[in-house]
Amino acid sequence: MNFDHADLSLKEIFQDHLSCCVECGQALERLFAELDTAETHIGLIRQLEEKGDALMRKAYDALETAPYSELVLLIQQFAGHLDDILDGLNDTARVIDIFTPRRAETAALDLLAISQGMVRRLSAEMDHYPENPPAGIKRCREELKVSETDADLVYHEWRKSQRRYSTLSLLSESDWTEILGILEKTTDSCYHAALVLERITKYRLRQAS
């Protein structure tokens, strides 16, 4: 079954989308470092999210031309999780645009670093698509599970610290709770993408046997 569309294979589309996620994360890092000039970075992040949306439309268009199957459904789910990653990064920037914080919380930087590491690991695994070795995708899924757990811990410890020591005003604490919550969910999306990619690999192996 051929998923080529508009001179781009699904592999290329997904790799390009993950590259957008990396660029978006880098722009978000600069945003956290330069909150006094936030608008420039927010604009770039918005553009990258729009580019990612265009790539996902190409992927869905390609899938619509293929006969319906379990494989098509799994690939659609995978595409949806990739889209959620980029949406999470863009949503983080949008919330910062609304709240206009003066400085970034260390926990936000930690969560962003975790999510970027997960995106890069996914991107490396996509180099083997659609013939991902079962052992390789299993390692990828296990590594991303560890990262997702680390992100959960960062978020939990930050919330616990704020409740015990109240280092921020109630308003600032509420703002950063929302920002960190979005970043933590973005790491969930990375892990779920790896889970579905492993299911795609298993499906292909079953069909080939």
Side-chain angles (χ1 to χ4, degrees):
M1 183 160 45
N2 189 350
F3 293 115
D4 287 349
H5 178 72
D7 297 323
L8 280 175
S9 67
L10 283 173
K11 176 178 181 176
E12 292 168 332
I13 292 171
F14 293 150
Q15 286 177 322
D16 287 347
H17 192 276
L18 286 164
S19 293
C20 278
C21 292
V22 171
E23 288 184 58
C24 195
Q26 292 170 338
L28 198 53
E29 288 172 352
R30 294 192 295 271
L31 171 57
F32 281 143
E34 302 170 356
L35 288 169
D36 54 337
T37 58
E39 189 57 42
T40 300
H41 306 298
I42 291 169
L44 175 58
I45 291 168
R46 186 184 306 114
Q47 291 173 13
L48 289 166
E49 195 269 341
E50 291 170 354
K51 179 180 178 182
D53 283 347
L55 288 166
M56 282 298 114
R57 284 194 295 272
K58 286 185 177 181
Y60 287 123
D61 286 347
L63 290 167
E64 284 181 1
T65 65
Y68 183 79
S69 67
E70 182 181 347
L71 178 59
V72 169
L73 178 61
L74 286 170
I75 295 174
Q76 287 174 335
Q77 291 175 357
F78 179 71
H81 290 311
L82 293 190
D83 204 25
D84 289 342
I85 296 169
L86 196 51
D87 284 346
L89 297 171
N90 182 55
D91 287 345
T92 301
R94 292 181 65 181
V95 172
I96 288 173
D97 190 33
I98 294 169
F99 295 152
T100 62
R102 294 180 178 273
R103 67 174 183 86
E105 286 292 296
T106 300
L109 301 175
D110 292 341
L111 287 173
L112 179 57
I114 291 171
S115 71
Q116 284 292 88
M118 296 174 81
V119 168
R120 289 188 172 94
R121 183 64 180 87
L122 270 175
S123 183
E125 193 61 34
M126 281 305 301
D127 289 343
H128 306 291
Y129 183 87
E131 298 179 355
N132 301 77
I137 183 57
K138 180 183 178 185
R139 282 195 303 274
C140 176
R141 188 253 304 160
E142 290 173 344
E143 289 170 15
L144 265 60
K145 179 58 181 176
V146 171
S147 296
E148 183 208 26
T149 301
D150 290 344
D152 289 343
L153 182 61
V154 169
Y155 180 72
H156 174 75
E157 289 298 319
W158 183 86
R159 291 295 308 278
K160 184 170 68 175
S161 174
Q162 290 304 312
R163 288 305 175 105
R164 290 184 178 180
Y165 304 112
S166 299
T167 58
L168 297 173
S169 68
L170 288 177
L171 181 59
S172 292
E173 180 182 344
S174 175
D175 293 348
W176 279 106
T177 297
E178 183 170 349
I179 293 168
L180 268 63
I182 295 170
L183 287 170
E184 191 276 327
K185 288 180 180 177
T186 302
T187 66
D188 292 344
S189 298
C190 292
Y191 174 62
H192 293 153
L195 274 177
V196 177
L197 187 57
E198 185 175 33
R199 289 172 188 155
I200 291 170
T201 300
K202 290 179 178 178
Y203 177 87
R204 292 185 188 276
L205 288 173
R206 288 198 306 270
Q207 294 301 108
S209 63

